[in-house]
Amino acid sequence: VHYADYYSVEFLLDEQNKKLTVEGKIKDTPLKYTRNYFFDTDCINIRTIIESEEDFEAKSCYLQLPVFISKQRGFSYSVPSHDPFVIRLSDDVANSFYVLFNEPVRTELAKISQEKIYEVNYKIQQLKIYLPAKWKKGQQAELEYKLLSR
């Protein structure tokens, strides 16, 4: 499992255009990424570009979208049949949010894990968004999606 190299991450906030750019590398891999967040009044638009600096192959490769869980509840995962670009994540008290992709992607909701962040225990569930496992030097993968509540 490889995560972002948190010591190589750069942030650029453009307040006037409501845009945050995050650039970094995936630790122990030749993969680098640029993620742009555009903050609108009703949603967050996210555009991620991943590029390989050399040939690389992994067992699997995916982005993780963390979902914090309140109390013991986990989220259910559904893809409305009328729209294959939409994923709805909801808990058992009807709290929900939507992930709207600009094209079909393979996703999976991972098991719940326990994480300690600043001395507080959280339950987190990851939405895995799969990417290619095999990369050629210079190859890019682009992913665009939007986060909406209701």
Side-chain angles (χ1 to χ4, degrees), residues 69-70 72-76 90-92 109 112 125:
I69 298 169
S70 59
Q72 297 298 319
R73 297 184 293 260
F75 276 81
S76 65
S90 57
D91 65 16
D92 58 356
L109 193 59
I112 297 172
Q125 210 164 6

Side-chain angles (χ1 to χ4, degrees), residues 83 85-87 98-102 144-148:
D83 194 342
F85 303 123
V86 176
I87 293 173
Y98 294 86
V99 184
L100 283 71
F101 294 96
N102 68 334
E144 289 188 53
Y145 58 98
K146 162 183 305 205
L147 300 177
L148 291 162

